[in-house]
Amino acid sequence: MAGKTLYDKLWDSHVVKEREDGTALIYIDRQLLHEVTSPQAFEGLRLASRQPWRLDANLATPDHNVPTTKTERDVGIEGIVDPVSKIQVKTLDDNCDEFGIVEFKMQDKRQGIVHVVGPEQGATLPGMTIVCGDSHTATHGAFAALAHGVGTSEVEHVMATQCLIQRKMKNLLIKVDGELGAGITGKDVVLHVIGIIGTAGGNGCAMEFGGSAIRSMSMEGRMTMCNMAIEAGARVGMVAFDENTAEYVKGRPYAPKSDQWDQAVEYWNTLVSDEDAVFDKVVEVNAADIKPQVTWGTSPEMVVSVDSLVPKAEDESDPVKRSAIERALEYMGLEGGQKITDIQLDRVFIGSCTNSRIEDLRAAAAIVEGKQVASSLKQALVVPGSGLVKEQAEEEGLDKIFTAAGLEWREPGCSMCLAMNADKLGNGEHCASTSNRNFEGRQGYGGRTHLVSPAMAAAAAITGHFIDVNTL
Amino acid sequence: MNKFILHTGIAAPMDRANIDTDMIIPKQFLKSIKRSGFGPNLFDELRYLDEGQPDADNSGRPLNTEFVLNQSRYEGASVLLARENFGCGSSREHAPWALEDYGFRVIIAPSYADIFFNNSFKNGLLPIVLDEVVVDQLFTEVFASEGYQLTIELESQKIIKPCGEEIDFDVDPFRKHCLINGLDDIGLTLQDADDIRNYEEKRRASQPWLFDVVK
Ligand code: SF4
């Protein structure tokens, strides 16, 4: 019999019950909650007089709506200017208090973007099934966990039953072998992969990232890659367990301690795809081919290397794709054939659950140190992923480096990633952003997003346009 | 949840691939803590010429007359014809809530994003997958004749065209069962509560660290 993939193993170990129609009841070890997708789920529980099945499996924190300026944050919830946002954050607090769910509230220094907080606390562990009402839950798969986003009905279902009804997905392996070039990060790798397979390339699949380039990548880089698996259509991104995983998890507040640690590691060591495992699909990528990536359009698959030209619609033969390119060029205010490095920027955003961890901030700080933000920019924001990331960065003096260079140093939250709070792009503005989605209007009405790595965003902040970080 | 048995309605063509959830319902409307009332802001950025605000009155806003749903021939449409990878992007269930609140009961497309597909079923909205060629043909017919209606019969899994021609479609049997009976799947899962408890006990024994939670 052929061996099992990592996904097969995680799936098999969580099946509570197979059902006749081919679906299975899958046990969920951890549910992360935030203010946007949980209120209707709590309301559903209340209406049906149901209690959460297992309180300690849940962990909550507000992130999408929280303001990121210090003046607003110091005031607390009452400091949230937008009344609708305020109600949403308050509703999460009230619901968690009422049901007895642990929540890192807005003033808690452990608060942050839910996908940064989970791993940071060790609430994300290898071998777990993890869900959250947020598509970027795929992030947690970097820990050899089975993690995916769910809708609000499923948030309620998991709260009430600790289970989900699922159908097994297909196995897709993205194999990145070789050595990554200087300045090439997980962000560039995943954008490059999405450029190859497209935004629907992973539909119906659990996507494992493997190969020698991934083995030598940090946990932060792996999280960035898994985070964007959803941008390739896969609900699940995963990386096998290894020493990097163990080292990251060890000592975190929710991680196993003393003799339970050894017992856990012994089990976690099995969380790899077997040598003879069979994948439904394998995509091979040569690490050495990957250059710094920049998206030019309104879908993450509209991506090219920084040294390339914006594509021309007439070069595309498929009519649906051609009209998508035309639309995107129009929305982005770009001409086919123009150089990526000629795109002038208005704002720079370094943050989001894709790239707001300490390693990301260090990479950005290393670029801007001793330099000045281009005078043509209206704003360059750095938003750490959590209060603890912020604290760590300040201990290392990164905040001083950013502010000295003319970047703003903010309080943790989702911020300009989706512009649910006050941080947003103006109509027609171009932004170099380390987030994960460049959809129309994502970062603000009429805003034009270009997805890049933290180092590339930092370099763009200095020059006011895109530039290969290695040539700065 | 609303039952879905048989539905007849005007089809509206959304002739664009990769319609994402930000287009279906922009983020500012996600601040609502309710499940309903999203219909007036469905496709907000495509539908109106200005920027929409939550809880605002939409009646006086300038309409984008080019947008398909603003054309009188598609007024009252309840079947949405779409292109590949419909509903990609975020997990927001506000997307099917908005479609449903607007009046859509059926979507027909060659493919969907997984989470959106799943969310739709939970809200009495039926997403049907048809072959690209068949979808293309439907687009041609919808564009060609005003008032074009489709009938969707879930039990027999058939779409009936105005000319009487039938198209078969596939649907997951469990989801079909839930839709036809308007079932709440939490109730169904709780019938297996003993199995869940047994599983949990085994897991507690083999991986105790998952249960000893430090605060
Ligand atoms: S940072 Fe952006 S993508 Fe991540 S959870 Fe927040 S809004 Fe979603």
Side-chain angles (χ1 to χ4, degrees):
Chain A
M1 211 177 79
K4 288 181 175 185
T5 64
L6 170 58
Y7 172 61
D8 295 338
K9 292 181 186 181
L10 291 167
W11 171 271
D12 290 350
S13 65
H14 287 87
V15 174
V16 171
K17 191 176 173 181
E18 309 249 14
R19 298 146 57 120
E20 275 165 22
D21 62 1
T23 58
L25 202 58
I26 293 293
Y27 189 79
I28 303 300
D29 295 308
R30 169 80 62 218
Q31 169 147 265
L32 301 163
L33 299 159
H34 64 82
E35 80 278 20
V36 180
T37 54
S38 67
Q40 297 87 350
F42 280 110
E43 188 60 20
L45 284 186
R46 232 177 264 123
L47 287 174
S49 310
R50 290 183 173 125
Q51 283 300 316
W53 180 277
R54 205 186 119 203
L55 283 175
D56 67 2
N58 297 282
L59 180 65
T61 192
D63 52 9
H64 287 63
N65 282 284
V66 298
T68 62
T69 57
K70 193 158 183 336
T71 38
E72 277 177 282
R73 279 294 269 274
D74 283 347
V75 182
I77 287 197
E78 292 310 317
I80 305 180
V81 177
D82 179 341
V84 200
S85 290
K86 190 192 301 179
I87 292 175
Q88 208 168 46
V89 174
K90 178 104 184 23
T91 304
L92 179 68
D93 287 4
D94 293 348
N95 281 327
C96 290
D97 291 348
E98 176 187 335
F99 287 96
I101 287 172
V102 177
E103 184 199 4
F104 299 154
K105 295 196 162 81
M106 209 173 85
Q107 306 297 76
D108 191 316
K109 75 173 176 193
R110 298 168 297 177
Q111 176 272 342
I113 306 172
V114 72
H115 310 308
V116 175
V117 169
E120 184 172 80
Q121 290 295 322
T124 297
L125 291 175
M128 275 185 163
T129 39
I130 301 166
V131 297
C132 173
D134 190 288
S135 58
H136 293 102
T137 310
T139 312
H140 309 262
F143 291 82
L146 178 55
H148 56 74
V150 293
T152 300
S153 296
E154 288 179 323
V155 170
E156 183 182 340
H157 192 280
V158 173
M159 266 201 278
T161 69
Q162 214 52 50
C163 288
L164 265 188
I165 299 162
Q166 291 270 287
R167 187 176 285 279
K168 202 174 169 197
M169 293 178 263
K170 291 211 170 80
N171 279 292
L172 166 62
L173 176 65
I174 307 287
K175 196 160 178 284
V176 190
D177 278 318
E179 225 172 286
L180 293 172
I184 303 299
T185 65
K187 184 64 161 285
D188 301 295
V189 179
V190 72
L191 283 171
H192 180 78
V193 168
I194 297 167
I196 297 172
I197 68 172
T199 48
N203 277 7
C205 298
M207 185 188 272
E208 179 176 344
F209 295 96
S212 59
I214 309 298
R215 297 263 61 82
S216 51
M217 194 181 275
S218 67
M219 288 313 291
E220 282 92 343
R222 294 176 187 181
M223 282 188 255
T224 302
M225 297 196 48
C226 292
N227 174 278
M228 289 194 71
I230 186 74
E231 268 28 272
R235 281 179 92 170
V236 165
M238 278 169 305
V239 176
F241 180 82
D242 63 10
E243 311 84 71
N244 287 1
T245 328
E247 204 179 303
Y248 187 99
V249 171
K250 196 164 190 183
R252 303 213 171 241
Y254 283 67
K257 305 269 154 32
S258 51
D259 50 330
Q260 277 191 0
W261 172 258
D262 297 331
Q263 190 190 350
V265 172
E266 196 186 320
Y267 166 62
W268 294 345
N269 275 320
T270 67
L271 300 174
V272 296
S273 289
D274 295 332
E275 295 261 324
D276 56 344
V278 180
F279 286 84
D280 298 284
K281 199 171 148 196
V282 178
V283 176
E284 297 197 21
V285 179
N286 183 357
D289 292 346
I290 307 173
K291 295 184 186 163
Q293 302 284 301
V294 180
T295 66
W296 57 269
T298 52
S299 156
E301 70 185 22
M302 294 174 165
V303 65
V304 290
S305 308
V306 63
D307 58 358
S308 318
L309 306 178
V310 174
K312 291 185 181 153
E314 59 262 34
D315 294 346
E316 175 62 56
S317 53
D318 177 336
V320 177
K321 284 201 185 124
R322 193 183 323 128
S323 78
I325 295 177
E326 279 164 5
R327 259 200 105 97
L329 289 176
E330 198 196 323
Y331 180 85
M332 295 296 289
L334 297 175
E335 294 286 337
Q338 87 178 85
K339 281 187 184 166
I340 289 289
T341 47
D342 283 345
I343 299 172
Q344 297 300 316
L345 297 162
D346 301 288
R347 292 179 204 261
V348 169
F349 170 60
I350 298 172
S352 89
C353 58
T354 317
N355 283 125
S356 63
R357 300 180 179 82
I358 191 69
E359 182 187 276
D360 302 316
L361 303 187
R362 285 180 191 142
I367 300 287
V368 303
E369 184 158 22
K371 302 196 179 70
Q372 277 302 314
V373 166
S375 58
S376 54
L377 283 192
K378 293 182 185 142
Q379 184 180 45
L381 276 186
V382 187
V383 187
S386 72
L388 293 174
V389 170
K390 179 169 184 264
E391 190 178 68
Q392 169 82 30
E394 288 174 354
E395 264 167 37
E396 297 178 18
L398 305 185
D399 58 324
K400 300 263 164 17
I401 296 176
F402 288 124
T403 48
L407 293 97
E408 295 173 38
W409 178 243
R410 294 291 187 92
E411 300 294 310
C414 293
S415 180
M416 206 190 268
C417 172
L418 93 166
M420 266 184 88
N421 65 5
D423 312 334
K424 52 181 85 163
L425 300 183
N427 202 344
E429 288 179 350
H430 287 269
C431 177
S433 176
T434 65
S435 57
N436 44 44
R437 287 193 175 134
N438 51 350
F439 299 159
E440 289 181 18
R442 169 79 179 182
Q443 293 193 286
Y445 185 77
R448 295 161 169 168
T449 302
H450 301 274
L451 304 175
V452 287
S453 73
M456 283 289 289
I462 301 303
T463 54
H465 59 82
F466 291 112
I467 180 171
D468 184 336
V469 43
N470 293 312
T471 63
L472 184 70
Chain B
M1 186 174 84
N2 288 335
K3 288 186 188 181
F4 191 109
I5 296 166
L6 176 90
H7 179 78
T8 299
I10 293 183
M14 185 60 102
D15 194 5
R16 186 166 169 185
N18 295 311
I19 293 279
D20 60 67
T21 50
D22 281 79
M23 269 185 238
I24 300 174
I25 182 87
K27 69 254 158 185
Q28 63 268 38
F29 305 106
L30 272 50
K31 293 178 187 176
S32 167
I33 56 170
K34 295 184 298 222
R35 242 174 220 270
S36 56
F38 297 102
N41 300 106
L42 173 71
F43 297 121
D44 199 273
E45 290 181 7
L46 302 171
R47 207 162 139 194
Y48 303 97
L49 293 171
D50 63 348
E51 187 180 355
Q53 294 305 333
D55 289 339
D57 177 15
N58 296 291
S59 58
R61 295 177 60 197
L63 291 178
N64 173 6
T65 48
E66 312 241 299
F67 182 59
V68 57
L69 297 183
N70 288 333
Q71 296 168 20
S72 58
R73 59 182 289 189
Y74 300 117
E75 208 176 308
S78 57
V79 178
L80 190 68
L81 206 53
R83 296 288 186 184
E84 61 169 29
N85 204 28
F86 187 84
C88 60
S90 87
S91 65
R92 63 187 69 160
E93 201 155 316
H94 312 68
W97 293 338
L99 286 159
E100 220 253 354
D101 199 66
Y102 180 90
F104 285 110
R105 295 302 315 272
V106 181
I107 309 173
I108 300 173
S111 62
Y112 300 85
D114 293 339
I115 303 180
F116 174 82
F117 188 70
N118 200 26
N119 283 342
S120 296
F121 281 102
K122 312 234 174 231
N123 292 284
L125 181 66
L126 175 64
I128 298 177
V129 181
L130 293 181
D131 198 80
E132 200 150 354
V133 184
V134 183
V135 173
D136 226 33
Q137 177 62 26
L138 286 172
F139 266 99
T140 311
E141 293 176 21
V142 169
F143 283 129
S145 62
E146 202 166 324
Y148 187 92
Q149 296 203 348
L150 291 171
T151 294
I152 291 89
E153 201 180 81
L154 186 52
E155 183 55 54
S156 63
Q157 301 180 201
K158 283 190 190 316
I159 299 171
I160 304 147
K161 300 213 265 186
C163 62
E165 198 187 309
E166 295 180 350
I167 306 171
D168 292 325
F169 63 88
D170 279 334
V171 58
D172 179 287
F174 175 69
R175 285 168 163 157
K176 176 177 170 180
H177 172 76
C178 288
L179 268 183
I180 287 181
N181 298 294
L183 291 178
D184 154 18
D185 55 5
I186 294 181
L188 288 175
T189 300
L190 286 173
Q191 292 175 1
D192 294 327
D194 287 343
D195 292 310
I196 304 173
R197 262 181 225 110
N198 290 339
Y199 174 89
E200 216 163 39
E201 280 321 303
K202 272 191 241 146
R203 201 157 175 73
R204 193 187 290 276
S206 65
Q207 296 184 44
W209 60 87
L210 295 176
F211 293 82
D212 298 346
V213 172
V214 207
K215 278 189 195 164

